[in-house]
């Protein structure tokens, strides 16, 4: 490990300088969810592709229903049905003076018709009072013939979705850089796109180290603890947009760790380890990876550093394997591990995705605390907190210990105390990184 003390910003800059967005690929819509578009998507068809009804009712001419009321209804001859998915009336049929066509929601407006009267504004063809719904065609085939009494008038285009009222050919549907979420997939499908060109979601392999680690559900014996880091960081990687793979804890053996990492490279765009990067006699990640270099890239390999931050002082970063896969080695204490992920791994994942906005939002907030917060001189400290958006205030949760994971679970923000701040009191303003 170098004797140099690195700042948080210097370490992050080095990571982002070494991470390149993944190469674009063409994916089917369901597989593109969560990915970032690399090209503008231009509309090729109008949406809706034809004038269609937004209601179940009757397609009519405006003049035929002018002045209609329940006392003096307009009596029209029903010439047929227009169902959703149908081509409409027969080619030789037009809604003419004194005529109407039963029409269903989503069905094309037939020739000659200018507006749609909802079925509730009519007698539904029953000759009785106002209808509450339209009878099914199979139950009342006569409903597509005979007469209908219309009790209200309507303007031209009422209850009609005009062709191209959503988008028109040549419109920009989605810009390059957009994340493909459920609404975007819906739009792409609606305009007929079956595939899109995107940067794929990065594959992140998360691996924890330590002979003391036991998987949840197993019995603890003397000196053992449950492996929480790999679960938390795998979830955090998915939350950042990645496809994440969790590897069970690896014992403190350098050869085993090296072999495990090499086995995982085939499915990794980035590797994240947790634990084994400090100055102890059993810090296996440093032992296993300090001498590892890229096969054909001078200066490659993993560098271990001391950062001017708390928690998370020991960090490692570099690349490994023939494809120069980025590897971030995080400390093992749960809070140190999670804070390090948020500061360094999450931006790296989003850079691999090709996103422009890499970081969690940061806001200024007033500190609420019963006693002053202290911070070591020369280090940037990250404390857990809860943020009150309405009040623009933040309250610390738990202490500063890097093992206090229960407080982390209650927090939704990180309180940032800069390197030149050694004490912060109630009422002071500070930067807050929002975690939700």
């Amino acid at each position: 490990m170098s004797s140099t003390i690195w700042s948080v910003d210097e370490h992050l800059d080095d990571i982002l300088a070494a991470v390149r967005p993944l190469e674009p690929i063409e994916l089917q819509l369901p597989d593109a969810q969560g990915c970032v578009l690399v090209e503008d998507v231009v509309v090729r068809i109008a949406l809706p592709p034809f004038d269609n009804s937004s209601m179940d009712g009757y397609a009519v001419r405006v003049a035929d229903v002018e002045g209609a009321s329940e006392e003096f209804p307009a009596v029209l001859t029903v010439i047929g049905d227009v169902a959703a998915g149908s081509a409409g009336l027969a080619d030789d049929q037009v809604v003419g003076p004194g005529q109407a066509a039963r029409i269903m929601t989503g069905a094309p407006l037939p020739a000659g018709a200018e507006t749609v009267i909802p079925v509730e504004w009519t007698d539904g063809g029953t000759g009785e009072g106002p209808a509450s719904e339209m009878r099914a065609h199979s139950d009342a085939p006569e409903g597509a013939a005979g007469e209908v009494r219309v009790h209200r008038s309507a303007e031209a285009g009422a209850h009609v979705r005009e062709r191209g009222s959503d988008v028109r050919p040549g419109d920009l549907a989605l810009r390059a850089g957009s994340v493909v979420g459920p609404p975007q997939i819906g739009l792409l499908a609606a305009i007929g796109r079956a595939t899109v060109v995107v940067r794929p979601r990065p594959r992140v392999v998360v691996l924890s180290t330590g002979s003391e680690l036991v998987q949840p559900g197993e019995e603890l014996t003397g000196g053992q603890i449950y492996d929480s880091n790999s679960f938390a960081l795998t979830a955090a990687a998915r939350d950042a947009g990645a496809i994440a793979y969790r590897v069970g804890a690896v014992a403190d053996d350098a050869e085993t760790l090296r072999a495990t990492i090499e086995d995982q490279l085939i499915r990794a765009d980035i590797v994240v380890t947790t634990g084994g990067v400090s100055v102890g006699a059993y810090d296996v990640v440093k032992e296993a990876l300090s001498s590892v270099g890229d096969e054909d890239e001078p200066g490659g390999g993993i560098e271990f550093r001391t950062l001017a931050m708390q928690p998370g002082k020991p960090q490692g970063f570099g690349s490994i394997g023939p494809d120069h896969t980025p590897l971030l080695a995080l400390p093992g204490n749960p809070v140190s591990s999670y804070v390090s992920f948020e500061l360094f791994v999450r931006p790296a994942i989003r850079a691999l995705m090709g996103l422009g906005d890499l970081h969690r939002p940061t806001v200024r907030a007033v500190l609420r605390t019963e006693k002053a917060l202290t911070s070591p001189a020369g280090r940037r400290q990250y404390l857990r907190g809860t943020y009150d958006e309405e009040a623009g205030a933040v309250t610390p949760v738990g202490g500063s210990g890097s093992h206090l994971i229960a407080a982390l679970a209650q927090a939704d923000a990180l309180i940032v105390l800069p390197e030149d701040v050694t004490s912060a009191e109630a009422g002071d303003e500070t930067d807050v990184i929002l975690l939700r």
Side-chain angles (χ1 to χ4, degrees), residues 58-139:
Y58 291 85
V60 302
R61 290 157 38 99
V62 171
D64 290 334
V65 295
E66 190 173 354
S69 65
E70 285 195 43
E71 186 178 0
F72 300 105
V75 181
L76 305 178
T77 301
V78 179
I79 62 172
D81 265 3
V82 187
S86 73
L89 297 175
D91 291 341
D92 59 349
Q93 278 189 303
V94 174
V95 176
Q99 295 180 335
R102 284 209 319 171
I103 192 167
M104 314 307 153
T105 302
L109 191 70
E114 299 168 325
T115 190
V116 171
I117 302 294
V119 67
E120 295 88 350
W121 296 4
T122 76
D123 68 352
T126 64
E128 301 172 1
S132 60
E133 61 183 3
M134 188 170 286
R135 291 181 295 172
H137 180 72
S138 58
D139 292 339

Side-chain angles (χ1 to χ4, degrees), residues 211-305:
S211 297
E212 76 280 12
L213 298 178
V214 174
Q215 296 307 297
E218 299 178 6
E219 291 294 324
L220 293 178
T221 58
Q224 293 182 325
I225 59 173
Y226 287 119
D227 171 20
S228 63
N229 283 357
S230 68
F231 286 91
L233 299 190
T234 301
R238 289 181 182 136
D239 184 67
I243 298 169
Y245 304 103
R246 191 189 70 84
V247 180
V250 178
D252 291 322
D253 178 79
E255 288 301 321
T256 301
L257 177 60
R258 267 196 295 265
T260 302
I261 291 175
E262 288 170 2
D263 287 344
Q264 294 297 321
L265 291 179
I266 193 171
R267 64 172 181 173
D269 295 308
I270 186 169
V271 176
V272 179
T273 67
T274 171
V277 295
S278 193
V279 294
Y282 294 92
D283 285 325
V284 66
V285 174
K286 278 176 57 182
E287 180 186 352
L289 301 181
S290 290
S291 60
V292 172
D294 280 347
E295 295 180 2
D296 55 5
E297 183 176 316
I302 311 301
E303 180 181 358
F304 292 88
R305 297 173 169 179

Side-chain angles (χ1 to χ4, degrees), residues 324-346:
H324 316 303
T325 304
L327 184 146
L328 280 80
L330 311 184
N333 277 319
V335 177
S336 302
S337 171
Y338 184 75
V339 169
S340 300
F341 183 97
E342 286 291 335
L343 296 181
F344 306 124
V345 184
R346 194 175 197 276

